[in-house]
Amino acid sequence: MRFTGLSAFPLTPLADDRIDEDAFTAGVRRLAAAGVDSITALGSTGSYAYLDREERARAARLAVENAGDVPVVVGVGALRTSHVLAHVEDAQRAGASGLLVAPLTYQALTDDDVYGLFDDVTRNSSVPVIVYDNPRTTHFTFTTELYARIAGLPGIASIKIPGVPTGPAEARAHVEGVRAVLPEHVTIGVSGDAFAAEGLIAGCEAWYSVVGGTLPEVALRVTRAVRDGDPEAARAESERLAPLWGLFAELGGSQRVIAAVAEHLGFARRSSLPRPILGLDDAQRSSVARVVDDLGLAEGL
């Protein structure tokens, strides 16, 4: 399949150190009902690195079973290639429409290590593969040259790039530079929610979205504005959400904040993240709740 539009990355909420299956399946159903273009379970927002094989296989099955006709991508990253391939097998058995692969590591990886990982995955996958470039969490930085090398492997369908430069001209030049080295069938997806509108306007075909996994209607307003040829409406919606993007930057990243949003809205129980991640303290949660309420993010849910 061709990965375009909004791919929503839901949380995998926990309760009593186990996947809260009711909360997770309800979240997947909300995304499907909202009309997202794909659902990516077990991304970084979905805490995949903290879950064991059985938990991840179960989450993959639940996502596919509750997504209706919406394609489900499953994150399969792990420290060892043999473990990655076990997750690949489980995701395919669950009915995943695609795989999201991040080069997780403890020891520093070389470009050849990472290329070898994607070579192994594509040799063992019958569904498309998305390259997950997330240097903040993986501590590995892709080069444009490595994008090109990996994109030449059969089965690579999309590259999830980090946030683009904020200036429109700089953003377009960056995206065009990546596009120039990729085969036409490999899409470019932007991540980093604050940069999504500019990335889509600059030519990215997809938005791999944290906020879209909990508040899909908010993210869809951005993607649909770009699709409909109204970049200024997309920019305006992103600018309206600046207080939320500010919390992502201020409070240790998007996962803690979006978990607090989900808990505030009753989509997950308190302390839904895997320990040792404690989530936000009470004062920080109050700031999140105030932004959610002031922006009217619960409207229409």
Side-chain angles (χ1 to χ4, degrees), residues 104-111 113-114 138-140:
L104 288 185
T105 188
Y106 181 80
Q107 301 292 343
L109 295 175
T110 69
D111 284 6
D113 293 332
V114 173
T138 65
H139 308 293
F140 179 83

Side-chain angles (χ1 to χ4, degrees), residues 215-231:
L215 300 167
E217 294 83 1
V218 171
L220 284 167
R221 284 197 286 271
V222 174
T223 57
R224 288 172 177 169
V226 176
R227 179 198 65 191
D228 294 341
D230 193 350

Side-chain angles (χ1 to χ4, degrees), residues 44-293:
S44 294
T45 307
S47 301
Y48 73 98
Y50 296 88
L51 305 178
D52 63 27
R53 180 177 179 180
E54 181 180 354
E55 290 171 323
R56 291 168 69 165
R58 177 64 176 162
R61 290 195 300 272
L62 289 172
V64 172
E65 289 169 2
N66 288 276
D69 295 332
V70 179
V72 173
V73 177
V74 175
V76 295
L79 289 172
R80 288 173 59 189
T81 297
S82 60
H83 295 174
V84 173
L85 296 181
H87 297 313
V88 167
E89 179 182 351
D90 293 339
Q92 292 182 132
R93 186 178 294 119
S97 297
L99 306 173
L100 178 71
V101 182
L104 288 185
T105 188
Y106 181 80
Q107 301 292 343
L109 295 175
T110 69
D111 284 6
D112 285 344
D113 293 332
V114 173
Y115 177 84
L117 169 65
F118 283 94
D119 187 28
D120 287 331
V121 170
T122 55
R123 288 176 186 273
N124 288 274
S125 172
S126 60
V127 297
V129 174
I130 299 171
V131 178
Y132 189 4
D133 182 358
N134 189 352
R136 178 170 180 173
T137 56
T138 65
H139 308 293
F140 179 83
T141 300
F142 284 79
T143 63
T144 303
E145 292 74 21
L146 185 57
Y147 285 157
R149 189 178 170 197
I150 292 173
L153 292 168
I156 299 295
S158 186
I159 295 180
K160 177 182 184 288
I161 66 171
V164 300
T166 55
E170 293 84 356
R172 184 165 294 279
H174 178 69
V175 174
E176 288 176 350
V178 176
R179 169 49 59 202
V181 305
L182 300 181
E184 185 178 354
H185 70 273
V186 176
T187 66
I188 303 171
V190 65
S191 59
D193 283 3
F195 308 96
E198 209 57 60
L200 291 168
I201 294 165
C204 291
E205 294 104 323
W207 174 13
Y208 296 113
S209 176
V210 172
V211 71
T214 296
L215 300 167
E217 294 83 1
V218 171
L220 284 167
R221 284 197 286 271
V222 174
T223 57
R224 288 172 177 169
V226 176
R227 179 198 65 191
D228 294 341
D230 193 350
E232 292 312 313
R235 288 188 177 109
E237 179 62 20
S238 183
E239 289 168 6
R240 185 180 78 86
L241 298 171
L244 183 61
W245 310 150
L247 290 176
F248 284 6
E250 176 188 347
L251 299 179
S254 59
Q255 188 194 35
R256 286 178 170 85
V257 173
I258 209 66
V261 170
E263 292 167 13
H264 174 63
L265 296 176
F267 296 159
R269 302 186 203 179
R270 175 82 179 235
S271 301
S272 62
L273 294 175
R275 297 290 297 267
I277 303 173
L278 297 175
L280 303 184
D281 62 30
D282 287 342
Q284 293 167 332
R285 287 171 181 275
S286 294
S287 296
V288 170
R290 185 161 52 251
V291 166
V292 169
D293 295 342

